[in-house]
Amino acid sequence: METALAIVSGGMVAGGIYLLLSQNLVRMLFGLIILSNAVNLVIFTAGGLTHTKPALIEVGRSVPGTAVANALPQALILTAIVISFSFFAFLLVLGFRAFQDLNTDDTDSMRFAEPEEQP
């Protein structure tokens, strides 16, 4: 299962980088979403995909009796999801504002476009 998820995450990274290299601003944002989801999938896969018990210790013991799930990758993924969503929302507003001022979403024509005057 780890091999399949590694192949899927590699494909997502390739697709995300392909979209990030586009000249269209919306495609670049979608590439950023796909790339951040691929990184989350890599962290999840690196954490291990075994069926184990929650990380709880029974009363009277100092260590768990059986193999337990590692909660660190799950916490890292949850943090990464929140950060990537806020970063995407900021870039979406920034891109929308650039589109309003320059009337284009093509990055090559943004370099030479004159901003419209605001009343």
Side-chain angles (χ1 to χ4, degrees), residues 36 39-40 43 74-86:
S36 66
V39 169
N40 290 341
I43 294 171
Q74 297 170 9
L76 288 174
I77 291 170
L78 184 62
T79 305
I81 289 170
V82 171
I83 291 171
S84 65
F85 178 73
S86 62

Side-chain angles (χ1 to χ4, degrees), residues 14-24 27-28 30-32 34:
I17 290 175
Y18 174 76
L19 288 174
L20 277 173
L21 294 175
S22 174
Q23 294 178 356
N24 190 337
R27 286 186 182 188
M28 293 171 100
F30 282 131
L32 183 69
I34 292 173

